[in-house]
Amino acid sequence: EAQVTQNPRYLITVTGKKLTVTCSQNMNHEYMSWYRQDPGLGLRQIYYSMNVEVTDKGDVPEGYKVSRKEKRNFPLILESPSPNQTSLYFCASTRQGGYNEQFFGPGTRLTVL
Amino acid sequence: DAKTTQPTSMDCAEGRAANLPCNHSTISGNEYVYWYRQIHSQGPQYIIHGLKNNETNEMASLIITEDRKSSTLILPHATLRDTAVYYCIVGISNTGKLIFGQGTTLQVKP
């Protein structure tokens, strides 16, 4: 089944404790991206990757890192999480940047205390 | 910086057609109209897209006015599982970003 998977789905952590949210797709898509969703602010793009080893900042990249060493994986790294990063995170992928249909993962709900 | 305007919420009776409007008066000639939906905090799901002509797939129909300044998403026989937030999106940025507005919350009622 074609899908985007994220792990963990739920995470409660404390300020400053490094964490990684994994994202994997099995559709051989070149383009992957991360969004966060907050009440009243909608979905905002954090980082995106046009292809392996190519990443770039979205609208809200502060406090996040990403890497794209393999085509299928695009982990989101929070080196020193803070409470304002409490949010619902979505990974998305598509065949190419600008392609019509994007596939979203199920989401990761992160709480930073 | 969403380029669309949608009603905040709508109700629809189960089994009836749900017609969700979207205004996009500043759409450019080469920009597509996309519709996604999000069911209760799940990942957004692609529904349909179109440029000028009306489009239909197994999920929905998309009607775009001749001047392209507005469109309507039609769910022909709404079910309770269609209760969701529906997003009308115009264009994709050159970074591949989808610009989600506030969307329309569709409540399908028995």
Side-chain angles (χ1 to χ4, degrees):
Chain A
E1 180 189 355
Q3 60 183 344
V4 178
T5 57
Q6 295 178 226
N7 282 293
R9 295 289 313 282
Y10 302 91
L11 178 61
I12 300 174
T13 188
V14 295
T15 298
K17 186 177 181 182
K18 180 179 178 179
L19 67 91
T20 299
V21 183
T22 65
C23 172
S24 183
Q25 50 90 7
N26 62 1
M27 296 166 278
N28 201 37
H29 285 165
E30 290 186 353
Y31 180 93
M32 299 184 74
S33 68
W34 278 101
Y35 292 82
R36 61 177 287 175
Q37 185 173 30
D38 303 288
L41 297 175
L43 285 111
R44 295 177 292 169
Q45 192 182 54
I46 304 171
Y47 267 95
Y48 65 96
S49 170
M50 290 288 192
N51 212 328
V52 176
E53 301 291 2
V54 180
T55 64
D56 213 337
K57 297 176 181 179
D59 295 323
V60 288
E62 293 78 21
Y64 304 94
K65 286 175 58 177
V66 293
S67 68
R68 188 89 182 277
K69 294 185 172 61
E70 310 164 273
K71 200 174 206 180
R72 63 182 295 128
N73 296 323
F74 190 44
L76 180 69
I77 303 157
L78 285 72
E79 294 268 1
S80 182
S82 62
N84 64 12
Q85 293 178 298
T86 292
S87 187
L88 180 58
Y89 292 87
F90 291 104
C91 180
S93 75
T94 188
R95 187 184 299 179
Q96 294 173 323
Y99 193 69
N100 296 318
E101 180 178 359
Q102 295 199 19
F103 294 80
F104 284 79
T108 295
R109 189 168 291 280
L110 172 66
T111 301
V112 183
L113 302 175
Chain B
D1 50 347
K3 296 192 272 187
T4 63
T5 303
Q6 300 177 250
T8 302
S9 63
M10 295 181 65
D11 290 342
C12 177
E14 188 178 19
R16 305 298 293 268
N19 297 280
L20 292 92
C22 179
N23 287 321
H24 32 79
S25 58
T26 60
I27 191 170
S28 300
N30 60 351
E31 287 183 318
Y32 283 76
V33 178
Y34 304 89
W35 284 83
Y36 282 74
R37 73 180 182 184
Q38 185 175 24
I39 298 172
H40 188 56
S41 297
Q42 296 179 21
Q45 177 190 22
Y46 165 86
I47 301 173
I48 199 168
H49 74 278
L51 182 63
K52 293 180 185 177
N53 301 319
N54 299 337
E55 302 288 345
T56 296
N57 63 19
E58 65 278 3
M59 288 183 68
S61 295
L62 174 61
I63 310 296
I64 302 174
T65 58
E66 193 168 341
D67 63 7
R68 303 210 326 120
K69 292 185 176 180
S70 66
S71 60
T72 301
L73 178 76
I74 302 171
L75 308 178
H77 305 287
T79 71
L80 298 178
R81 287 177 293 181
D82 291 322
T83 292
V85 179
Y86 287 78
Y87 297 99
C88 171
I89 298 169
V90 165
I92 296 178
S93 75
N94 55 8
T95 66
K97 178 178 67 176
L98 294 170
I99 300 174
F100 290 85
Q102 296 306 308
T104 296
T105 299
L106 175 68
Q107 182 74 45
V108 180
K109 299 186 174 181

